[in-house]
Structures are given as structure tokens and as C-alpha cells.
Amino acid sequence: MKNVYVLGNWKSNKNPQEAIAWRDIYLQHANELPKTVKIILCPAYHHLPLFDLSTFPSLLGVQDISSFDTGAYTGEITASMVKGIVQYAMIGHSERRKYLLETDEQVGQKVKKAIESRIIPVVCISDIEQAKKLCSFIPDYAGKGLILYETLTAIGSGQAGTPESANAAAKEIVDILGAVEVLYGGSVVPENVARFTSQQYISGVGVGGASLNAEKFIKIITNAS
């Protein structure tokens, strides 16, 4: 049986009070969450202390890590700085590629830094060429990290891609990278999540806007199993 993941990406949202309110609602329903789903929450860096690893019932991730090692790189958050705090790191999200002009080379460097620090990378790709680039940088990526396949037209639009097209893209990614687990991202909501997680080559979903609402995120997790 394949693993099923639900990754929540808060992006640049929530002040501390809003994050605490979300956490408290989520914890009220923690015992109801299906044990068959691996839940990864990726809040902003400064929210991480709000989620005590000893009591919070899900895994934690960061939305990005630096391609640099620890040193004189003002504003950068390196892998070694969050080692032991998070288990996962999103790398190469399409919004970072678009707005911050992040390159495939930088993505490859960040993946290497994550792996060196024993943080599991979740590499975001939106086309097959990016999968080929990743393979050229990390030939043995399968087994070391996840892939989050993003349909660019679906991100933030409220209109998800079709499960069938997402599954076909996931198969292509597996053909290139090997037995890697592929998540689908782009306008995932409680009503459509099961259509994606039931596909042969899709092992879960990445959730953006819907993860900002604790009750909606819980429904997505429940429906994903």
C-alpha cells in the first residue's frame, strides 16, 4: 500500500495570534485524524516554535532553505539551522522560481544541503524538464525525497487540474527519477482530494490556501485517506 501525504503550505500568511488560533483548533481534532495519512505542516519560519514536536501530532517542514552553509549570509536560513526542528523542506516552489528567479541550479544546491542535514526535501516542479534537471543534479534522488508536482494554471486559481493529467505527469516523473513519491499541488480542497490520492502514481497532495483554515485542512486530511 502506498503512503498518503498531505502537506500544508501556509506561504506568507498568518501573524502569531492567527497561528496560535489555528494550532489550537487543529489540536482539538488531533485524535480524529486518520493514522494512514502523513501530515506535513510548513508554516513560516517564525511560527515553528509554536509547534512543540513532543505534542504536535504532525510533521513539520520549512518552505525553503538556503543554498549556503552557515556563515555571513544575512537573512538566509540554512539547513543546519533548522535541523532537529523540522523533518522536511520544500524546495523550488513555483512562486519562488517566478518571483525570486530561483534557478534549477539553486534548487539542486538546496536539495544537497537538505540531504546533508538529513532533512527530507520536497522538490516542487511544474514541468518534466525540471524533473530532468533534478535528475542531472541528484541522480539517486528517489528514496531521498518527495516531489510536489504543481500545475501552474491551478495554483491559487480555485480550478484544479484533472486527476488523470496529474497522474500522467506523475508517471513521467517516476520514469525519469525512479521510484519517487509524487504529490499533486494546485487548488486542492476537501471535495476533490480523494480524486487525486486515488490515482496510481500520486502519493498525496500539497495544499496552499485551503491549509490556512484549520477545519478545512482537517477535512482534506480525512478525505485523503
Side-chain angles (χ1 to χ4, degrees):
M1 180 180 292
K2 69 179 181 182
N3 292 318
V4 176
Y5 299 83
V6 174
L7 180 150
N9 175 19
W10 280 7
K11 305 186 181 184
S12 296
N13 290 288
K14 294 194 180 299
N15 60 38
Q17 293 74 27
E18 292 168 338
I20 290 170
W22 187 101
R23 179 200 63 189
D24 291 347
I25 293 171
Y26 187 81
L27 288 175
Q28 289 173 14
H29 298 275
N31 293 332
E32 305 166 16
L33 299 174
K35 306 300 182 185
T36 53
V37 178
K38 293 188 175 182
I39 308 161
I40 308 167
L41 181 66
C42 297
Y45 291 117
H46 67 290
H47 293 323
L48 290 173
L50 300 176
F51 299 95
D52 186 337
L53 290 176
S54 66
T55 57
F56 190 64
S58 304
L59 301 166
L60 289 176
V62 287
Q63 299 172 19
D64 180 52
I65 59 168
S66 177
S67 58
F68 296 109
D69 290 317
T70 299
Y73 305 104
T74 300
E76 290 292 287
I77 305 294
T78 68
S80 62
M81 291 165 67
V82 294
K83 181 179 180 180
I85 300 174
V86 301
Q87 296 82 31
Y88 292 85
M90 295 178 63
I91 298 173
H93 192 281
S94 60
E95 291 162 353
R96 295 192 60 83
R97 294 179 190 258
K98 177 180 179 180
Y99 298 118
L100 300 173
L101 305 181
E102 197 165 274
T103 66
D104 290 315
E105 288 75 15
Q106 288 174 311
V107 169
Q109 291 168 359
K110 291 180 178 187
V111 171
K112 290 177 181 179
K113 297 301 181 187
I115 293 172
E116 288 170 4
S117 291
R118 298 185 179 179
I119 295 172
I120 300 171
V122 183
V123 179
C124 304
I125 65 173
S126 55
D127 61 54
I128 299 306
E129 288 304 312
Q130 291 172 352
K132 292 178 180 177
K133 281 282 190 178
L134 177 61
C135 187
S136 70
F137 289 122
I138 319 284
D140 56 348
Y141 182 77
K144 294 184 176 179
L146 307 176
I147 292 292
L148 175 54
Y149 170 69
E150 308 174 285
T151 304
L152 292 182
T153 55
I155 296 174
S157 70
Q159 299 295 322
T162 68
E164 294 76 18
S165 63
N167 189 60
K171 182 182 184 304
E172 285 191 74
I173 292 167
V174 170
D175 289 342
I176 293 167
L177 293 173
V180 65
E181 294 175 300
V182 181
L183 284 57
Y184 165 79
S187 297
V188 175
V189 293
E191 293 75 20
N192 66 15
V193 61
R195 295 176 59 208
F196 289 100
T197 56
S198 63
Q199 297 293 318
Q200 180 180 357
Y201 292 96
I202 296 177
S203 297
V205 292
V207 186
S211 71
L212 299 176
N213 181 296
E215 291 94 341
K216 186 175 290 187
F217 190 54
I218 289 165
K219 288 180 181 178
I220 289 174
I221 295 166
T222 302
N223 293 351
S225 61

